[in-house]
Amino acid sequence: MDVLNKFRSTVTSTMSQLSTVLPGNPVTREYEATKHIASAGVGLLWKIYSGYKKSTQQSASIFVLEKRQLDKWSKTEREHIIEVVKKGVAQLARLKHPQILTVQHTLEESRESLAFATEPVFCSLANVLGKLENTPQPLSKSLQDYNLFDIDIKYGLMQLGQGLAFLHNDAKLLHHNLCPENVVINEQGAWKIFGFDFCSQSINPVDPNPTWPSWEYKVDVHPWAQPTLDYLAPESGCDHIQIKANDMYSLGVLIFAIYNKGNAPLQSNHEWSTYKRNLQEMKYNTPKISIVDAALRDPVKLLLSFRPEDRPDEHEFLKIEYFNDVGVKTLNYLDSLFQWDNLQKSQFYKGLPQIMEKLPHRICLKRILPCLVKDCVNPVMIPFVLPNIFYVCENCTKDEFVHHILPCLKPIMKVHEPVQVPFIFLQKMELLLKLAPLEDLKSDILPMLYKTLELDSKPVQETCLSVIPSLATLVEGPSMKNALLPRIKRLCLSTSDLSVRVKCLVCIGKLIEYLDRWLVLDDIIPFLPQIPSKDPAVIMGILGVYRIILSHKKMYITKETMALSILPFLIPMCIENTLTLNQFNVLISIVKEMISSVETEHRAKLQQLNEQHRSISNSLTLENGTTTKSNGLTNEFQFESFVEKPSMQLSGSNEITQITNSLSFNYEKSKTKQSQDLPFRTFQQDFTLTPSVEKSNKNNPVPKDLTSSLIDSNINQISWSNQIKPTSSSLSQSKSMGFENKSMNLQSRLSGFENNSVNPQMKPMSLHNSANNWNDLWIKQEETRSQVKQLSLSDINDLLN
């Protein structure tokens, strides 16, 4: 809360300051100022605000000079200062060079302020050296922690030398007030020349040796309306001579101030008399420059020389040994990168990580990274640039990654050609997961993974499949079902590479714990049998997936799924000759485990059903017993007693069942035909077919034998027909006898006689009234029962018809 309150108070104070200054200034029509960050210019009068352009959202800095700061001076002095400042901004807007501050919107004036917009700026060199007038209070943490590294000073001084060379030789211009207040450091850390308030244009710009008009310091003019005396060359102040060496002297004093906490070697405090006294001292005594870097002492000593001709010019300055540094050369190369071809760039990028190891992280982040991003517009160069970008990421904080690197990476994530680009992203996925916010992972990185799975590159596919499980927690249910799993399955079925197919199975196995049970049942289990390969590696991958599914707590696999979907697929694999012994043991153990599970569950289910059936039968028996007693009848049929009684079990149950079913069907068919026969109708009226039931010794009812009843009925019919037709031939009798014998054979088998003995009580009624030859035939038939051929279905049909 303290941080939020501090941030809220800072924003409120900034907006309140701007509301009293910027309203009415035309700059506010196109630019929005957000935060006061630094100050610059003569007397640090210019307040620097961070902001952006409203139409394009492009970052910018807004320089604001509040006129009320000049209220303590006279009107003439105020007007003189404002006139000088306007001249400097106008001149700055006309200059275009990498080492000159870039103006985006020209100076605008209102009643309260002067304002113009430039490229994004961090601060002025004076702020870094401890000059904090017109800076925000409290000071921002970034400015507090900003320290100048050797590479900053080396490359910054080189940039100033290049800027002066441009001014002197191309623009034919003298800066005439080069000091820390007029050196601005942009967001990338580059040093830019600013403050052309007292610049002097050449009299003869076309002449190779230009000359500049003389200038005289005026004591009666406000110090802010004249060059800073501490940085003014002796010949310019005393002799009114304007030459290139004036700016080189100012550069020497600036170098000394960098190593002296922003203080010049001889300070005049805006006093002309003090300045002249210091010059006389310097004429005979060179300032002590021992605090300056050893490699710069000799050049600085020459730059601070009282005689202009002893000072090196800008070209000689740029050639000193001090700038012969690998870091300086690297930064200089990056600034001129557009001049080189792709081959030269690729060779440079390959060695860049070794150079960045020796550079401070801020230089890599603020100075090198922007140059790398610029070259990513060329897709061919991205595979060479991207590893260097990720090298910068390795030392970044999460906040630095979000603000400086992630916006640069998002457009590159959409590039899939050449394939090295997504491959590098996949290799650095762990780093991305560490630094990227959750919403960016879902919105940008996951879609990149989905697209990468469709690329036709084995290394890319394998790497992507190995990375996906680490992102599984970020994939939402609909995306998992409709985007990720279909792509993995499609790749597994379509690829011809064995290792990719195995990687797909391994990836699916690792994703199981993140899937819902219904998704596994509907998508994964039906998919595995579709894999065309029977290679041992693929089989082991499939078994691994099954093992994870079976062992996972929330993945309850029913016996129906095992019996109908999994086992029919796995059992044929058990006879694959390509399996090793260990692989076969793994396979068969899983199969046995599933079979055992099916057996255990189904046995338990059958026992439960049997108990339910027994309880239902007992309740029905009780109900039927009550009903028969009320009707005077006895229910003698019990299914359980029939099943459980050993003497009533049939040896050839399957065959007897088939015959019984056939007899029942043919009986129904013959009944219709014989109903037209009058004697048979008479027989049907006189006789009632009732089965003979064997009563148990324990007075338990015996189940009715419907087959025996049917056979008895047919035999009675045949016997009755023989009695009413005494003239029948012996052939017909023998046929009848044969039928009766065969029928009795079936009846004896169905009745379950023990010890092959015939119970006379079980004989059909027609045999009790027959002649003795019938009894003899019956006994003979029973003795030779095992030798008699059983009736076929066609024989029985013929006999019944």
Side-chain angles (χ1 to χ4, degrees):
M1 289 302 294
D2 294 339
V3 175
L4 292 177
N5 292 333
K6 184 181 295 185
F7 176 75
R8 187 182 297 109
S9 63
T10 302
V11 174
T12 304
S13 62
T14 301
M15 298 308 296
S16 63
Q17 294 172 10
L18 291 176
S19 62
T20 59
V21 176
L22 283 180
N25 195 301
V27 172
T28 58
R29 299 173 187 171
E30 299 184 24
Y31 289 85
E32 185 72 32
T34 57
K35 184 180 180 182
H36 183 199
I37 57 175
S39 61
V42 59
L44 296 177
L45 288 176
W46 290 101
K47 290 184 177 181
I48 305 175
Y49 292 85
S50 61
Y52 58 91
K53 191 173 183 178
K54 295 179 180 179
S55 58
T56 62
Q57 301 297 311
Q58 181 182 2
S59 297
S61 289
I62 302 170
F63 284 66
V64 178
L65 191 154
E66 301 174 3
K67 292 182 179 180
R68 64 186 178 184
Q69 297 180 84
L70 309 176
D71 290 343
K72 55 185 175 181
W73 293 295
S74 64
K75 180 179 180 182
T76 303
E77 290 177 325
R78 292 198 303 268
E79 290 177 352
H80 199 177
I81 293 173
I82 292 175
E83 181 183 353
V84 170
V85 168
K86 288 182 179 179
K87 175 189 172 184
V89 177
Q91 183 62 58
L92 178 65
R94 288 192 292 266
L95 297 172
K96 304 296 181 184
H97 190 267
Q99 274 63 57
I100 306 296
L101 184 64
T102 303
V103 176
Q104 295 181 357
H105 188 91
T106 57
L107 183 68
E108 299 285 359
E109 183 178 7
S110 66
R111 187 180 63 178
E112 300 292 339
S113 65
L114 298 173
F116 66 98
T118 69
E119 62 179 294
V121 166
F122 175 67
C123 66
S124 65
L125 182 59
N127 296 150
V128 175
L129 297 176
K131 307 295 184 180
L132 302 176
E133 290 82 356
N134 272 338
T135 54
Q137 297 300 326
L139 204 63
S140 63
K141 180 175 175 54
S142 58
L143 185 54
Q144 288 179 0
D145 299 338
Y146 193 92
N147 295 316
L148 290 175
F149 299 109
D150 289 339
I151 185 64
D152 287 316
I153 299 173
K154 287 180 180 180
Y155 194 63
L157 293 177
M158 174 180 279
Q159 289 175 314
L160 295 181
Q162 293 172 348
L164 291 175
F166 164 75
L167 293 175
H168 297 164
N169 302 310
D170 298 326
K172 309 299 182 181
L173 196 69
L174 292 181
H175 188 278
H176 207 226
N177 193 29
L178 188 62
C179 60
E181 289 80 2
N182 289 330
V183 174
V184 173
I185 303 175
N186 69 0
E187 280 193 343
Q188 299 177 6
W191 290 14
K192 305 275 186 167
I193 299 177
F194 171 65
F196 289 85
D197 306 339
F198 312 107
C199 66
S200 179
Q201 185 69 47
S202 174
I203 298 174
N204 51 346
V206 182
D207 193 334
N209 298 314
T211 59
W212 288 270
S214 62
W215 173 86
E216 181 180 358
Y217 189 87
K218 298 177 181 180
V219 181
D220 57 344
V221 176
H222 195 280
W224 289 356
Q226 299 184 91
T228 306
L229 291 176
D230 293 344
Y231 294 85
L232 186 61
E235 68 277 7
S236 177
C238 297
D239 302 331
H240 317 299
I241 298 174
Q242 302 282 13
I243 55 177
K244 295 179 182 179
N246 299 160
D247 287 342
M248 299 309 295
Y249 175 85
S250 300
L251 179 60
V253 178
L254 185 144
I255 295 173
F256 186 93
I258 291 174
Y259 290 96
N260 195 32
K261 298 180 180 179
N263 299 317
L266 299 174
Q267 302 181 37
S268 59
N269 297 320
H270 306 294
E271 295 290 338
W272 175 252
S273 59
T274 306
Y275 169 75
K276 291 180 68 176
R277 187 169 57 251
N278 290 339
L279 289 182
Q280 291 297 324
E281 182 180 349
M282 189 188 338
K283 185 176 182 179
Y284 301 103
N285 297 316
T286 304
K288 295 181 180 180
I289 57 174
S290 58
I291 61 174
V292 180
D293 188 277
L296 271 177
R297 290 172 187 172
D298 292 340
V300 170
K301 185 176 180 180
L302 293 174
L303 289 172
L304 295 178
S305 177
F306 191 84
R307 298 174 58 187
E309 56 271 18
D310 294 338
R311 301 171 198 153
D313 63 12
E314 61 277 357
H315 294 292
E316 293 173 342
F317 174 75
L318 293 174
K319 293 178 182 179
I320 63 176
E321 187 65 22
Y322 179 73
F323 298 121
N324 190 17
D325 181 82
V326 63
V328 173
K329 291 182 177 179
T330 300
L331 297 179
N332 191 41
Y333 184 89
L334 288 170
D335 285 338
S336 58
L337 204 59
F338 61 92
Q339 301 176 3
W340 307 96
D341 58 25
N342 290 341
L343 180 60
Q344 292 172 319
K345 291 179 181 178
S346 62
Q347 293 174 350
F348 169 74
Y349 287 135
K350 289 179 181 178
L352 185 57
Q354 288 75 22
I355 299 175
M356 287 193 290
E357 291 178 357
K358 304 175 183 178
L359 298 178
H361 172 65
R362 176 171 56 80
I363 301 298
C364 297
L365 180 65
K366 299 290 186 67
R367 191 72 187 86
I368 296 179
L369 180 65
C371 299
L372 297 176
V373 174
K374 289 180 181 178
D375 213 18
C376 288
V377 295
N378 184 5
V380 178
M381 296 308 301
I382 294 179
F384 301 98
V385 175
L386 202 54
N388 295 285
I389 296 178
F390 279 112
Y391 180 85
V392 178
C393 294
E394 292 177 359
N395 298 318
C396 281
T397 64
K398 195 166 186 177
D399 186 66
E400 290 174 341
F401 177 81
V402 172
H403 287 90
H404 296 94
I405 299 179
L406 186 57
C408 306
L409 290 179
K410 286 185 178 181
I412 305 177
M413 291 179 186
K414 300 177 182 179
V415 178
H416 297 93
E417 291 293 337
V419 293
Q420 288 87 348
V421 176
F423 184 67
I424 295 173
F425 273 106
L426 294 174
Q427 290 179 321
K428 299 296 182 179
M429 190 58 63
E430 183 178 356
L431 185 61
L432 291 175
L433 291 176
K434 175 183 176 183
L435 298 175
L438 181 62
E439 56 273 12
D440 292 297
L441 290 173
K442 293 182 179 180
S443 62
D444 295 283
I445 295 179
L446 286 180
M448 181 195 67
L449 286 179
Y450 300 155
K451 184 65 177 180
T452 303
L453 281 174
E454 300 175 353
L455 298 179
D456 188 15
S457 174
K458 175 184 173 182
V460 174
Q461 292 172 345
E462 290 183 345
T463 308
C464 185
L465 290 170
S466 62
V467 165
I468 286 175
S470 61
L471 293 166
T473 54
L474 306 177
V475 184
E476 298 177 350
S479 298
M480 181 71 76
K481 177 178 175 59
N482 301 320
L484 182 57
L485 281 181
R487 285 178 168 86
I488 298 176
K489 291 162 58 178
R490 190 183 308 117
L491 176 60
C492 186
L493 295 176
S494 62
T495 184
S496 59
D497 190 272
L498 178 61
S499 60
V500 174
R501 182 166 287 157
V502 173
K503 285 279 187 180
C504 290
L505 292 172
V506 173
C507 181
I508 291 175
K510 293 181 179 180
L511 291 177
I512 293 297
E513 61 176 316
Y514 304 101
L515 304 181
D516 294 330
R517 179 175 178 271
W518 61 267
L519 191 58
V520 173
L521 295 177
D522 294 345
D523 283 9
I524 303 302
I525 292 180
F527 156 71
L528 295 177
Q530 300 174 9
I531 300 176
S533 175
K534 300 299 180 183
D535 191 273
V538 177
I539 295 177
M540 290 299 102
I542 295 173
L543 290 178
V545 176
Y546 279 137
R547 172 66 70 187
I548 294 174
I549 294 175
L550 294 174
S551 61
H552 203 283
K553 295 181 179 180
K554 69 177 181 180
M555 301 296 171
Y556 171 69
I557 305 302
T558 62
K559 59 184 178 62
E560 289 81 9
T561 302
M562 294 185 198
L564 300 177
S565 300
I566 302 179
L567 287 174
F569 169 60
L570 289 182
I571 290 178
M573 289 185 180
C574 295
I575 58 173
E576 287 290 335
N577 296 327
T578 57
L579 296 176
T580 64
L581 181 59
N582 291 333
Q583 292 171 344
F584 173 77
N585 291 336
V586 173
L587 173 60
I588 204 67
S589 64
I590 293 179
V591 171
K592 288 181 178 180
E593 181 181 343
M594 291 186 184
I595 293 176
S596 176
S597 177
V598 172
E599 177 186 0
T600 302
E601 291 186 25
H602 199 61
R603 178 178 284 109
K605 182 176 181 180
L606 290 178
Q607 290 176 351
Q608 182 180 6
L609 292 175
N610 190 27
E611 292 175 358
Q612 293 177 357
H613 181 74
R614 185 184 301 275
S615 61
I616 293 173
S617 299
N618 291 336
S619 62
L620 290 176
T621 301
L622 294 175
E623 294 176 0
N624 292 338
T626 304
T627 305
T628 51
K629 287 181 180 180
S630 62
N631 294 332
L633 300 175
T634 302
N635 184 6
E636 297 180 349
F637 180 79
Q638 283 188 354
F639 177 78
E640 286 80 7
S641 62
F642 176 77
V643 173
E644 294 178 357
K645 186 176 181 180
S647 62
M648 297 299 293
Q649 294 180 354
L650 303 180
S651 60
S653 59
N654 292 334
E655 180 183 0
I656 298 303
T657 302
Q658 294 177 0
I659 296 175
T660 304
N661 293 337
S662 176
L663 286 173
S664 301
F665 171 79
N666 289 325
Y667 171 74
E668 294 293 333
K669 182 177 179 181
S670 62
K671 182 178 179 181
T672 304
K673 180 178 179 181
Q674 294 176 359
S675 62
Q676 299 175 1
D677 189 4
L678 180 61
F680 182 75
R681 288 199 304 270
T682 306
F683 172 80
Q684 228 175 1
Q685 294 174 358
D686 296 340
F687 297 93
T688 301
L689 297 177
T690 57
S692 176
V693 180
E694 180 183 3
K695 295 185 179 180
S696 173
N697 295 331
K698 297 181 181 181
N699 296 326
N700 291 331
V702 179
K704 295 181 180 180
D705 192 343
L706 299 180
T707 305
S708 299
S709 302
L710 178 61
I711 294 175
D712 286 346
S713 174
N714 283 279
I715 292 175
N716 290 336
Q717 178 183 355
I718 295 172
S719 176
W720 180 79
S721 299
N722 289 336
Q723 290 178 3
I724 63 175
K725 294 181 181 181
T727 60
S728 298
S729 65
S730 61
L731 179 62
S732 63
Q733 292 178 357
S734 65
K735 289 182 178 180
S736 299
M737 290 172 59
F739 169 74
E740 289 176 353
N741 290 335
K742 293 177 181 180
S743 300
M744 288 301 298
N745 182 28
L746 291 175
Q747 183 178 6
S748 65
R749 292 178 63 188
L750 290 173
S751 301
F753 290 132
E754 297 179 357
N755 299 326
N756 294 328
S757 61
V758 179
N759 189 352
Q761 296 178 357
M762 296 297 295
K763 292 181 181 181
M765 63 180 64
S766 60
L767 295 181
H768 289 287
N769 299 325
S770 303
N772 293 332
N773 59 341
W774 289 92
N775 294 327
D776 295 336
L777 288 174
W778 174 269
I779 296 172
K780 183 178 180 180
Q781 176 64 29
E782 289 301 321
E783 291 176 351
T784 60
R785 178 170 55 84
S786 60
Q787 300 177 358
V788 177
K789 180 181 180 181
Q790 296 182 0
L791 289 176
S792 64
L793 294 179
S794 59
D795 294 338
I796 295 175
N797 291 336
D798 293 338
L799 291 173
L800 291 177
N801 291 332

